[in-house]
């Protein structure tokens, strides 16, 4: 158990994919907070380190059995990028577009009795704008460079010239924007009392909060794949290639 206690949340989420569901359930931040040790994360969340460690050990045993999870540490970066864009980016864009009119509808009916809805909606609109621009920058600048870098490194061992010096620079900016998105998600969760629908909430109100919770969960997975897998591997690949050239 002590060994697990000193491992970072990001490492555990990466090595035991099933752990992300456990962390999601327990409210442990495994994407933006992936650098914290398991012991520190449990202490911060008021959780028993022993119980969480036992749950992780159980998740490890399950992972030894045939399962649908992909080990993205062993896949090409281009494949991981394709998964992120076709799965998480598509889902995010679709949900952002769908939730805007749903917010309008719920706010028009319940906004007077539940002013917290208007505050949450403002946070959501800010998040929507940030995520839309963020994904655009990834798809048009960072991701194409990483794919091209991987192709050239595998073929020639030399990374291509980039407009931003080193891949560390856009990665640093993307991770900063991830932190900002995480902060807004936290504001939305707190403002909605953990997505608790009030007694007078209608089916649209319930659908709104369920969708926000689903968006949050998917974004956690999305950011985890980038912060803890894609970005570190891209930086390592570029650095190794430069040292060999």
């Amino acid at each position: 158990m002590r060994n697990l206690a000193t491992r970072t949340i990001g490492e555990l989420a990466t090595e035991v994919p099933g752990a992300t569901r456990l962390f999601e359930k327990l409210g442990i931040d495994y994407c933006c907070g992936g650098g914290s040790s398991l012991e520190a994360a449990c202490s911060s969340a008021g959780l028993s380190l022993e119980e969480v460690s036992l749950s992780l050990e159980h998740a490890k045993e399950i992972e030894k059995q045939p399962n649908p999870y992909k080990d993205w540490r062993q896949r090409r970066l281009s494949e991981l990028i394709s998964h992120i864009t076709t799965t998480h980016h598509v889902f995010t864009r679709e949900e952002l577009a769908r939730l805007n009119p749903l917010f309008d509808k719920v706010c028009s009916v319940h906004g007077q009795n539940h002013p917290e809805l208007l505050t949450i909606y403002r946070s959501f609109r800010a998040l929507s704008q940030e995520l839309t621009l963020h994904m655009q920058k990834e798809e048009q600048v960072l991701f194409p460079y990483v794919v091209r870098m991987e192709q050239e490194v595998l073929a020639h061992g030399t990374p291509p010239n980039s407009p931003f010096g080193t891949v560390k620079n856009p990665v640093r900016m993307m991770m900063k924007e991830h932190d900002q998105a995480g902060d807004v998600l936290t504001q939305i969760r707190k403002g909605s009392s953990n997505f608790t629908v009030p007694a007078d909430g209608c089916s649209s109100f319930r659908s709104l909060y369920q969708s926000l919770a689903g968006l949050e969960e998917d974004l956690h997975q999305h950011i985890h794949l980038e912060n803890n897998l894609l970005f570190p591997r891209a930086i390592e690949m570029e650095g190794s290639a430069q040292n060999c050239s």
Side-chain angles (χ1 to χ4, degrees):
M1 184 183 72
R2 192 67 200 171
N3 183 46
L4 285 179
T6 58
R7 303 295 299 281
T8 69
I9 296 299
E11 289 172 340
L12 292 170
T14 299
E15 295 171 14
V16 186
T20 59
R21 291 187 178 275
L22 174 65
F23 292 151
E24 195 76 45
K25 179 181 177 181
L26 296 176
I28 293 177
D29 182 3
Y30 59 89
C31 50
C32 298
S36 299
S37 69
L38 178 64
E39 186 172 28
C42 287
S43 176
S44 177
L47 300 169
S48 165
L49 173 61
E50 182 176 3
E51 291 181 4
V52 175
S53 297
L54 288 173
S55 296
L56 281 170
E57 291 290 358
H58 179 62
K60 280 187 175 182
E61 291 302 316
I62 293 176
E63 285 301 302
K64 292 178 182 178
Q65 304 171 13
N67 63 82
Y69 291 120
K70 286 187 178 181
D71 186 349
W72 291 111
R73 296 171 297 172
Q74 307 302 323
R75 302 279 179 157
R76 288 195 176 186
L77 297 181
S78 57
E79 186 178 352
L80 176 53
I81 286 173
S82 177
H83 170 74
I84 290 171
T85 54
T86 60
T87 302
H88 296 291
H89 281 200
V90 168
F91 175 82
T92 300
R93 286 192 173 98
E94 289 178 347
E95 285 300 279
L96 293 179
R98 186 178 69 84
L99 284 170
N100 263 303
L102 184 56
F103 253 117
D104 285 335
K105 179 180 180 180
V106 175
C107 286
S108 66
V109 176
H110 296 279
Q112 185 172 357
N113 292 331
H114 297 282
E116 71 275 7
L117 274 171
L118 303 178
T119 301
I120 294 170
Y121 194 11
R122 284 195 293 270
S123 296
F124 173 80
R125 286 199 298 265
L127 178 66
S128 180
Q129 292 174 354
E130 291 172 7
L131 287 176
T132 299
L133 181 58
H134 175 86
M135 292 187 293
Q136 185 178 16
K137 287 187 288 188
E138 287 184 333
E139 293 173 2
Q140 295 183 1
V141 181
L142 178 57
F143 288 176
Y145 171 77
V146 173
V147 170
R148 190 169 71 255
M149 175 183 70
E150 182 179 52
Q151 291 172 342
E152 297 199 18
V153 166
L154 291 176
H156 310 293
T158 303
N161 293 326
S162 74
F164 37 73
T166 171
V167 74
K168 291 180 181 180
N169 292 326
V171 161
R172 188 180 301 113
M173 179 58 67
M174 294 301 100
M175 292 186 71
K176 180 179 179 181
E177 292 179 2
H178 286 169
D179 288 342
Q180 293 169 346
D183 290 341
V184 179
L185 286 171
T186 298
Q187 293 171 11
I188 292 174
R189 174 172 280 277
K190 288 182 177 179
S192 63
S193 299
N194 294 321
F195 304 117
T196 302
V197 181
D200 62 341
C202 62
S203 59
S204 294
F205 204 137
R206 188 173 299 105
S207 176
L208 174 65
Y209 274 13
Q210 288 175 345
S211 297
L212 286 172
L215 177 65
E216 179 191 58
E217 182 175 357
D218 187 80
L219 281 170
H220 285 168
Q221 289 280 345
H222 177 175
I223 293 172
H224 156 65
L225 289 175
E226 294 184 2
N227 280 11
N228 299 326
L229 284 161
L230 176 62
F231 295 163
R233 287 186 60 195
I235 291 171
E236 181 182 12
M237 177 178 287
E238 183 185 63
S240 297
Q242 288 174 341
N243 291 334
C244 292
S245 60

